[in-house]
Amino acid sequence: MAQDVLVRPLADSRSKVIAYPADRRATPRPVAYAVSARNADTRAGEARSETWSSEGRAAPAHIHAQFKQAGIQTFARSAQVAKPVSFAIVAGILRAFDAAVAVIAGPLALIAVSDWAVPAAYDLLVCGFGALLLINLMHLSGLYRIEFTRRPYMAVCRLVLAWTVTAAAVAIPLLYGLSSPQSQGLWLLAWIGGGFATTSAGRLVLAGAIQRWREQGRLRQRVAVLGSGPIGQRLLRRINAEADPDVEIVGVYDDRLSRLASSCMGHPIRGTADDLIEHVRQRRIDMVVVALPLSAERRMDGLLAKLRQVAVDVCLCPDQFGFRLPRVQLQKLAGVSLLGVEEQPLRDWRGVAKSIEDRIVAGAILVMIAPILAAIAILIKLDSPGSVFFRQKRYGLNNQLIEVLKFRTMYQHATDANAEQLTRRNDPRVTRLGAFLRRTSLDELPQFINVLRGEMSVVGPRPHALAAKAGGLLYQDAVPTYYARHRMKPGITGWAQINGWRGETETVEQIEKRVEHDLHYIENWSVWLDLTIIFRTIFGGFTGRQAY
């Protein structure tokens, strides 16, 4: 038999009521159900309230039914919120686990293949070098980002690359070691195999834990939005469209309740800023987003002062102009907090990593293709009179002019240094051999020399000729963001090329798509992305129907 419920207001507030089981004798310590409701003078149909169990149990159905009969709108919610899991801490533990495996697995494998003898100092130094290299490769590969912990198979693929590169690097100093080649090979195989298996197993276990935490809501970020005006509506619309399962909007709050509906963009309006403070104290709310105009300085100061009373992250949502800004970050300048809107794509260690990558890849490729370069040079001289190389001025980093090297593909008298006339199908200016070189992109191979000279990168936005046009317009006139692609060195291949946006640009749309892909590459650069582009270029990126 369902219990009756006694609903009575608190003595110190018209906007609070507490519901007790009516039979006090049946429940010595009554379970209290708090109900946050609107004031009694609220217009009809606008009452908003909520119920939850103060002892961690959801309110029974009969309590909600009687609240409803009394004209109080309720919603069921258990106060028992799963304890959150910090992914920053999880990533730190994962880093420590990988570092321990990298450091311990090497000496253990060395001791095992040496019949458990104490390893020499040189061998331990090689182990340390390999461990340090491996840890940095894992970091550069993005293995500590949350998306790769959710996708263990993608993480395992990157682990294969990191361990393989480490093995190749460690093999070089091993050649100068004092051990026999057989023991060197056994040790390296034991270290790489055991270490890879251990780190892969660790990620599979973590992926299972991540999935379980997600189902329990422990990775979910619970967010309250303060402000239901145009800025708050736009923010909620963006969040709804993104549909991130790890973001939960617990409610919207606004001080102007008398002028508002009961919901905002599908999310209930829970109350005022004072109600928000109380709710932060009573339940888990991870972040409060203040969605108010920055021009409302006095109102903003008052709200921020209130929010400082509770332990919660507070963020300011930008106004309408701010929604058009790219990713920003906080910076300090002479003690003043500034929002960083743009930054150098390759600064600090990212630039060092890109430079090392370019030199190693370009040097290795030039050594491997030297016979091919010699053969093409001979064929060019036999096919038509003139020079082997074609030198063309193009835009490089920061719009600086560089001289790009290519194999000559046109007749000497018909070369177009400024590319004022784009090549087309069956172009009479192109030699027979030149047509083949253009279709296969073999004419671009001399640009690896530009990479070694520091003028270009192996991967990056393709450099364009000075007078190149699309739809009768210069590229910079056709696309307003065109020059943004010059924030990084131009490349021999790029993200646009492997996605089909290479060759002739007859329309403005073609150059817009190329620039769009170039900017995507600049904003999302990583060593792994470069290796992916190089791999896809080798297996299908050299040829194209639009390359004449």
Side-chain angles (χ1 to χ4, degrees), residues 10-14 16:
L10 291 175
D12 58 347
S13 175
R14 298 193 318 168
K16 302 283 185 181

Side-chain angles (χ1 to χ4, degrees), residues 357-368:
E357 170 201 316
D358 285 336
R359 283 355 188 247
I360 292 176
V361 174
I365 290 178
L366 279 174
V367 171
M368 290 188 293

